[in-house]
């Protein structure tokens, strides 16, 4: 959420920074801006439009510089206006960009106002710029170190000063920040992706670190102000991950990458064993007598799906909680409960806070299913399974979800094995199904032309209902979320048996009702629910397994799923729902990859 790029070099840094901003734009796109230092003067350009517009402004004004910082914003404090766009200045001396939220900004603002500072934005960020200016006595590092101890909340910052044209200082606490090491040039970014193609030598800063960056060196200090050594890692983020190739949108690209992403997530899988989750997994998993899953958004729906697998296959009780709720409610801690966090980014503030809360309550056994190996979530959990979805750029999550489900299925099998509930024959059969899964997903993707035909009809509606039962109820929730996120159609999901307790009142001939109809034990019940909809004139759009005998007739539109995939069926059934949302949004002309008001990685509360 929000993106930072900074550079100090012996060349004009504008192209590197704009390229970095474009790569981070999916993180937040309410506004963007760049500040440059040229001949001791700070200049900036800001826009409430997209980075492409900023690029034009910068070029029209012939801005350039060897030192600069840039930002793309997801608004928290203050509307998305130019005045609130980063970088923020303190006088003509200090320029700063910030990700995160400063919780004590109001009190700092009053203090700084009393000292004569004049504020030109409503942001929490501007207080940091003035605070650094107040402490500035000719040494930017010292000023930043003095300022950060006054800040409460989460931040990653990059700061430059007109008086020191070959120096940039960064600091992190609760929001990610990396240093990119170049040849006689160095960089800062909130994600290594921003620097792909520029440098692959990356230092991941740790909580409380402050970094002092020059042309030829960089010095890191820990939270106590002591020099700290941090490993330089070779990070191979391929610059091409942020290119569209033959696709119109990243979401479409990512939907079609799912067979590959699932295959990569299963890479090297020979059999079920605890060490899939880390060398020390066995005692942690063996100790667990129940599971608590914590997550947000799409990852939460992956958790809801996993509950069915864990309870039916591994026979272990599971609770799934929305992280932002769990962290603030009085819950009954349970020492032997395994805490499982699910997160694409591994940086979602609410999920991290919920994990820490669970730990404070005495629940030490933790495992994360995460797509970013270097993330805070992976660092903070005892065990991890890294999904290999690759970088996901579309704000609406797709391949991250199906790879999470794949990993969660492996977790269910592993716990089942430890609890003596997985025979070698069952294990072999599930492994066979998992190996065939990428091909099964590819077969579902081939349904796209039929789904495009439905999307035209959906685009004319303002509401839609999604129905599922059992393990496909969370898939209905995910389908509804996808549709509302990117097409702005109001969509709700219900377990089909619950229809008669309220939502049936909404059903008229104008209401499209998407129904997930796998051939499972609940099929006959589901068919009755479908009749309840038809009797009120509702239009059913059914994704039916080929062996369900549900056929198209008046008011019932059917797309046949290629094969019934048993326990793994949710992974297949979510795919047409992703495509339906995508194509409906396309017809409605919305910004598919950057839906209004949303952001990819929500690192603020
Ligand atoms: C945001 C994203 C969602 C994502 C959720 C949780 O809302 O737009 O796609 O599901 O955050 O993110 P995480 O990175 O923790 O999975």
């Amino acid at each position: 959420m929000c993106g930072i790029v900074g550079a100090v070099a012996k060349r004009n840094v504008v192209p590197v920074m704009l390229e970095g901003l474009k790569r981070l734009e999916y993180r937040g796109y309410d506004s963007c801006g760049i500040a440059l230092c040229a001949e001791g003067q700070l200049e900036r350009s800001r826009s409430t439009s997209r980075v492409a517009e900023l690029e034009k402004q910068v070029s029209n004004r012939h801005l350039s510089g060897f030192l600069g910082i840039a930002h793309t914003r997801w608004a928290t404090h203050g509307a998305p206006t130019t005045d609130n766009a980063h970088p923020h200045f303190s006088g003509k001396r200090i320029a700063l960009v910030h990700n995160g939220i400063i919780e004590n900004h109001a009190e700092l603002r009053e203090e700084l106002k009393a000292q004569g500072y004049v504020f030109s934005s409503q942001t929490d960020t501007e207080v940091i710029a003035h605070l650094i200016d107040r402490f500035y006595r000719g040494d930017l590092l010292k000023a930043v170190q003095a300022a950060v101890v006054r800040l409460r909340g989460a931040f990653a910052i990059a700061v430059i000063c007109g008086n020191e044209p070959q120096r940039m200082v960064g600091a992190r606490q609760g929001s990610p920040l990396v240093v990119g090491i170049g040849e006689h040039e160095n960089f800062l970014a909130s994600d290594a992706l921003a620097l792909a193609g520029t440098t692959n030598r990356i230092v991941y800063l740790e909580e409380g670190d402050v970094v002092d960056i020059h042309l030829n060196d960089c010095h890191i200090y820990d939270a106590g102000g002591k020099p700290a050594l941090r490993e330089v890692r070779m990070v191979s983020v391929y610059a091409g991950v942020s290119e569209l190739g033959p696709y119109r949108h990243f979401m479409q690209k990512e939907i079609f990458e799912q067979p590959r992403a699932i295959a990569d997530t299963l890479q090297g899988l020979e059999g079920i064993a605890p060490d899939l989750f880390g060398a020390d997994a066995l005692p942690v998993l063996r100790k667990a007598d129940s599971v608590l899953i914590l997550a947000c958004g799409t990852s939460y729906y992956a958790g809801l799906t996993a509950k069915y697998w864990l309870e039916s296959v591994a026979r272990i009780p599971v609770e799934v909680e929305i992280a932002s709720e769990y962290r603030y409610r009085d819950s009954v801690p349970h020492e032997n409960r395994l805490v499982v966090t699910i997160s694409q980014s591994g940086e979602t503030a609410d999920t991290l806070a919920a994990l820490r809360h669970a730990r404070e309550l005495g629940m030490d056994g933790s495992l994360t299913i995460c797509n970013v190996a270097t993330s805070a979530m992976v660092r903070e959990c005892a065990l991890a399974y890294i999904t290999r979805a690759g970088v996901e750029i579309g704000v609406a999550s797709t391949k991250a979800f199906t790879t999470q489900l794949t990993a969660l299925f492996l977790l269910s099998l592993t716990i089942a094995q430890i609890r003596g509930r997985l025979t070698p024959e069952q294990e072999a059969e599930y492994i066979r199904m998992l190996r065939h899964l990428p091909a099964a997903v590819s077969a579902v993707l081939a349904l796209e032309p039929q789904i495009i035909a439905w999307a035209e009809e959906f685009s004319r509606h303002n509401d839609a209902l999604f129905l599922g039962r059992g393990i496909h109820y969370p898939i209905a929730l995910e389908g509804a979320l996808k549709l509302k996120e990117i097409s702005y159609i109001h969509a709700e999901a219900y377990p089909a048996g619950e229809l008669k307790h309220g939502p049936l009142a909404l059903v008229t001939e104008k209401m499209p009702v998407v129904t997930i109809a796998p051939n499972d034990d609940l099929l006959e019940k589901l068919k009755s629910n479908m009749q309840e909809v038809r009797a009120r004139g509702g239009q059913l759009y059914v994704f039916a397994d080929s062996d369900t005998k549900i056929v198209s007739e008046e008011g019932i539109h059917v797309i046949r799923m290629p094969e019934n995939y048993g326990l793994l069926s949710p992974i297949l059934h979510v795919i047409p729902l992703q495509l339906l949302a995508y194509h409906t949004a396309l017809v409605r002309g919305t910004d598919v990859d950057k839906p209004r008001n949303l952001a990819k990685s929500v690192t603020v509360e």
Side-chain angles (χ1 to χ4, degrees), residues 358-373:
R359 193 176 303 131
E360 274 160 23
L361 292 177
M363 290 180 276
D364 289 334
S366 59
L367 182 154
T368 188
I369 306 290
C370 186
N371 197 36
V372 181

Side-chain angles (χ1 to χ4, degrees), residues 417-436:
Q417 188 185 59
I418 291 169
R419 294 164 74 87
R421 295 186 176 273
L422 186 72
T423 63
E425 295 71 34
Q426 286 168 325
E427 178 185 349
E429 174 58 11
Y430 288 136
I431 297 275
R432 189 198 62 75
M433 283 171 71
L434 282 165
R435 292 212 173 111
H436 176 64

Side-chain angles (χ1 to χ4, degrees), residues 322-468:
I322 291 174
S324 57
E325 287 294 311
Y326 175 75
R327 63 184 286 197
Y328 289 120
R329 79 178 181 84
D330 274 339
S331 55
V332 183
H334 180 58
E335 214 192 324
N336 295 337
R337 183 166 292 172
L338 174 70
V339 178
V340 176
T341 63
I342 308 171
S343 178
Q344 186 285 127
S345 61
E347 302 289 348
T348 300
D350 281 322
T351 312
L352 276 171
L355 167 70
R356 290 169 192 155
H357 178 67
R359 193 176 303 131
E360 274 160 23
L361 292 177
M363 290 180 276
D364 289 334
S366 59
L367 182 154
T368 188
I369 306 290
C370 186
N371 197 36
V372 181
T374 52
S375 63
M377 201 76 72
V378 175
R379 282 197 302 272
E380 293 194 24
C381 282
L383 309 177
Y385 193 96
I386 309 298
T387 50
R388 296 200 190 89
V391 177
E392 190 179 64
I393 289 185
V395 165
S397 185
T398 52
K399 62 178 181 172
F401 181 68
T402 44
T403 52
Q404 284 167 351
L405 291 181
T406 306
L408 286 160
F409 189 69
L410 289 176
L411 178 65
S412 308
L413 297 184
T414 306
I415 297 182
Q417 188 185 59
I418 291 169
R419 294 164 74 87
R421 295 186 176 273
L422 186 72
T423 63
E425 295 71 34
Q426 286 168 325
E427 178 185 349
E429 174 58 11
Y430 288 136
I431 297 275
R432 189 198 62 75
M433 283 171 71
L434 282 165
R435 292 212 173 111
H436 176 64
L437 191 57
V441 170
S442 298
V444 179
L445 288 169
L447 299 175
E448 190 181 32
Q450 295 176 59
I451 296 166
I452 292 174
W454 282 10
E456 193 66 48
E457 175 62 26
F458 272 74
S459 69
R460 289 194 278 272
H461 292 274
N462 291 322
D463 304 277
L465 264 181
F466 285 68
L467 301 180

